[in-house]
């Protein structure tokens, strides 16, 4: 069984640029969630994708967008990067079966630095 | 809005000691609660999941309890080891928000 993988591991971007982060779900999972973790803080929910549609969103602006593909892999896109976007971005996959959410499994994260 | 608080923020104990980490949440309408471990700069490793209908879960030296009505959970670590040193995060899945809400974590250091 393959766990959750993320790419790239590290990324350095300049303010104003755009970035795409990628995530491959654990085998058998149908839901992907993205979280942002600033240094010394707990992760903050960005959004969740289920059946290729956004299924919930946290308090993040529209310049944070995502996609889920038929194979349940996912992308997080961030436009017009700001210095405060520097963080560890975590992807989590789970098997969602109404009405109860199941255990979420996290990937190793992508460390994004915006200069 | 769900808020999760973890106390203490940091804890240092000698090897072999039993310890308790605390987590509290403001909205008792949760589906489940998860405890995670995070090593520096790494992703999250799920330790225990407690469904809202359960009172506790055990895995090896770890035991987590849940008192939903009072909005509290504890993670008990028995016979701590230096390898247990990490940040421990508590998170609740609230039904209305369909998201995990995390505390800021407890940074644990076990001294040899």
């Amino acid at each position: 069984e393959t766990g959750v993988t993320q790419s790239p591991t590290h990324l350095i971007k300049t303010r104003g640029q755009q970035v795409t982060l990628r995530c491959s779900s654990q085998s058998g999972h149908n839901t992907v969630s993205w979280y942002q973790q600033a240094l010394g803080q707990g992760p903050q929910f960005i959004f969740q994708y289920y059946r290729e549609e956004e299924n919930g969103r946290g308090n993040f602006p529209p310049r944070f967008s995502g996609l889920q593909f038929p194979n349940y892999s996912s992308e997080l896109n961030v436009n017009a990067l700001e210095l405060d976007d520097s963080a560890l971005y975590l992807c989590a996959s789970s098997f969602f079966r109404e009405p109860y959410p199941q255990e979420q499994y996290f990937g190793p994260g992508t460390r994004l630095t915006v200069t | 809005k769900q808020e999760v608080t973890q106390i203490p923020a940091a804890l240092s104990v000698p090897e072999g000691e039993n310890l308790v980490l605390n987590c509290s949440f403001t909205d008792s309408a949760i589906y489940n609660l998860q405890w995670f471990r995070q090593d520096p700069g790494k992703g999250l490793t799920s330790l225990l999941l407690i469904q809202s209908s359960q009172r506790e879960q055990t895995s090896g030296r770890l035991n987590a309890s849940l008192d939903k009505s009072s909005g509290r959970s504890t993670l008990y670590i028995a016979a701590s080891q230096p390898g247990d040193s990490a940040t421990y995060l508590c998170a609740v899945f609230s039904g209305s928000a369909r998201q995990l809400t995390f505390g800021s974590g407890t940074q644990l250091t076990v001294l040899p």
Side-chain angles (χ1 to χ4, degrees):
Chain A
E1 183 178 271
T2 305
V4 180
T5 61
Q6 293 186 243
S7 63
T9 305
H10 295 92
L11 202 54
I12 299 175
K13 288 287 189 179
T14 303
R15 189 170 50 184
Q17 285 188 316
Q18 178 266 343
V19 68
T20 297
L21 311 182
R22 295 179 174 83
C23 170
S24 291
S25 300
Q26 184 165 313
S27 176
H29 287 178
N30 59 9
T31 301
V32 175
S33 301
W34 286 90
Y35 294 80
Q36 180 195 67
Q37 186 178 24
L39 204 59
Q41 302 294 319
Q44 298 290 315
F45 175 72
I46 303 175
F47 45 56
Q48 180 185 87
Y49 276 82
Y50 172 60
R51 293 181 175 176
E52 301 177 47
E53 291 189 359
E54 190 177 288
N55 189 42
R57 189 178 185 95
N59 189 28
F60 280 81
R63 59 189 185 84
F64 286 78
S65 63
L67 287 172
Q68 185 185 30
F69 300 101
N71 65 355
Y72 304 118
S73 65
S74 176
E75 287 182 355
L76 165 65
N77 298 290
V78 187
N79 294 322
L81 284 167
E82 301 177 0
L83 296 179
D84 285 348
D85 295 333
S86 295
L88 181 68
Y89 287 84
L90 296 164
C91 165
S93 75
S94 61
F95 181 75
F96 186 78
R97 180 174 55 235
E98 291 281 1
Y100 300 109
Q102 303 301 308
E103 187 169 3
Q104 299 208 5
Y105 294 85
F106 282 76
T110 294
R111 171 71 63 187
L112 172 65
T113 301
V114 182
T115 62
Chain B
K1 177 188 170 186
Q2 180 74 270
E3 292 183 1
V4 179
T5 303
Q6 290 188 246
I7 295 174
L11 182 63
S12 184
V13 299
E15 182 177 4
E17 193 162 297
N18 302 325
L19 58 100
V20 174
L21 306 182
N22 297 294
C23 171
S24 62
F25 47 95
T26 55
D27 184 353
S28 61
I30 66 170
Y31 278 128
N32 60 46
L33 182 146
Q34 271 185 268
W35 281 94
F36 294 90
R37 169 189 171 134
Q38 186 173 34
D39 293 293
K42 304 294 186 182
L44 307 182
T45 300
S46 180
L47 298 174
L48 290 164
L49 170 73
I50 310 177
Q51 300 291 354
S52 62
S53 59
Q54 297 175 318
R55 296 283 294 184
E56 66 178 319
Q57 282 285 346
T58 298
S59 175
R61 294 183 293 108
L62 306 179
N63 176 277
S65 67
L66 174 64
D67 184 342
K68 200 173 74 162
S69 61
S70 68
R72 295 178 187 276
S73 176
T74 61
L75 178 66
Y76 175 84
I77 303 177
S80 58
Q81 304 170 356
D84 295 330
S85 298
T87 295
Y88 290 80
L89 292 154
C90 162
V92 296
F93 204 112
S94 302
S96 60
R98 292 175 176 262
Q99 67 183 59
L100 275 177
T101 302
F102 284 83
S104 295
T106 294
Q107 185 175 2
L108 173 66
T109 302
V110 181
L111 303 170

